Amino acid sequence: MSDTPFGFGLPPEEPEDGDEGKKKDQQSGGGQGPANPFGFGGLPGAGGFGGPGGDNPLAAMFGSLNPTDLGAAFQQLGQMLSYEGGPVNWDMAKQIARQTVSQGTPDGTKDSSIGPAERSAVEEAVRLADLWLDGATSLPSGAGSAVAWSRAEWVEATLPAWQELVDPVAERVGAAMGDVLPEEMQAMAGPLIGMMRSMGGAMFGTQIGQAVGVLAGEVVGSTDIGLPLGPAGKAALLPVNIEAFGKDLGVPKEEVRLYLALREAAHQRLFAHVPWLRSHLFGAVDGYARGIKVDTAKLEDVVGQFDPQNPEQLQDALQQGMFQPEDTPEQKAALARLETALALVEGWVDAVVHAAAKPRLSSADALRETLRRRRATGGPAEQTFATLIGLELRPRRLRDASRLWASLTDARGVDGRDALWAHPDMLPTASDLDDPDGFVHREQLDFSEIEKLLGGVADDSGDKPNLKKDDTEDTDKGDDTE
């Protein structure tokens, strides 16, 4: 866990023209407060969300006193204080993410709409990738369509998944705010608690929007963090980010696009044909979130001294690490389950894509290593995942998982390897990643011979026992492939 809430980092530094914005704030009497309470950048009237602004939200909104924007500023402030939704203000998160995208990336690359040529190139790359994958996995194609997204379109398409991931963690803070006061005082403090929750939702929405907007400038598809962030059955690539990714690799851009299409298409196959996998991964996140405890003593102190005119108190308290995961066997198991599941997904994709690309792309090894290093050095996807969920993945597990899947392919064949996805209980565990050879060559029971023997006895007695509890726990799958 990082020192900031949910691992949240502080917002980006002000642009170069921030000094001018401060001068405006001083002229309006709004430049006395601490810098950026709640992490807000400029609001309407001061360059838009995430743009240049004053030292606090009100100064940012009213510093310029532009009559055209003043109404919008009041409206935005009202929306912030009147928010009564969940623990995160997702409307604000979406607005800030789109604004962040519109500002472009640090290298000066701007978002752009997708043209017919780019759309056609992505569709062709995904179509060819699916053909190549047919010989590398027994799972059929999972991409009903291939789409080329701009960065803004990626934000729109993935926000529902981010909401599902982040809300369980953010809910812990919202619940704690109402629990720290004695029951007889909660009714009296209702308006104050409501204001704190509204501001908390706005704060989280701001920081999540900034993080998602930054990530949109770096991801190359919809599955960069090993989770299905986009709509089911849509293999999505971002041409502008693919161009930036391959710029200094010395590899033809067609090969870069095709290799990334292979990874996207492989993820789509896995999530489409392993129906329990998505809920398993998201459930692991939720299980981990339930184990987070809030430092109620610290929160009680904040609530007891909360001054509505000094809202940055809440931000400061959260940045000091108000909540941490409980050090319990259940919480450790939830974390291990999530990390292992993500590693198995990424490792399987890495192994399958390498098998499909190696005979056909001269740059397959170089592209594979580039992506591995991107993940191992804390690439943008992993950093944002840690920011939003409060988890640090162990990149070492990805290489371990890839080696395990490759060994399984050699020992059991493609069908035997992929059969392990039939049920979560059949997958390797964290300890198996430490000893992949032990898992690959572990002697497994062959129930088919036992059933034959018992079947013969049953024929004589007129009653044949059933070794299977139900169809969902068919442990025979994968055993006949030894």
Side-chain angles (χ1 to χ4, degrees), residues 421-441:
W421 290 106
H423 193 278
D425 290 344
M426 299 174 65
L427 289 177
T429 63
S431 60
D432 293 325
L433 294 181
D434 294 328
D435 181 23
D437 290 337
F439 178 83
V440 170
H441 301 293

Side-chain angles (χ1 to χ4, degrees), residues 17 27 47-48 56 71 76 107-108 130 160 171 178 192 237 254 257 269 316 355 372:
D17 60 349
Q27 294 171 1
N56 59 62
Q76 187 63 51
D107 63 1
D130 258 336
E171 182 65 38
L192 175 61
L237 295 176
E254 292 79 10
R257 184 194 302 118
R269 289 185 180 226
D316 293 341
R372 279 183 165 185

Side-chain angles (χ1 to χ4, degrees), residues 59-72:
M61 284 190 288
F62 307 130
S64 64
L65 294 179
N66 187 330
T68 305
D69 295 329
L70 191 57

Side-chain angles (χ1 to χ4, degrees), residues 105-106 151 213-220 224 241 245 374 380-381 383-384:
T105 53
R151 293 166 179 171
V214 171
L215 183 59
E218 298 171 327
V219 294
V220 295
D224 280 32
N241 291 353
F245 172 81
R374 193 184 191 211
Q383 290 172 357
T384 298

Side-chain angles (χ1 to χ4, degrees), residues 43 47 57 115 179 214 220 228 245 346 349 400 403 418 438 467 479:
L43 297 178
D179 294 340
V214 171
V220 295
F245 172 81
E346 285 295 275
V349 168
D400 294 341
R403 283 195 294 268
D418 293 347
L467 295 181
D479 294 327

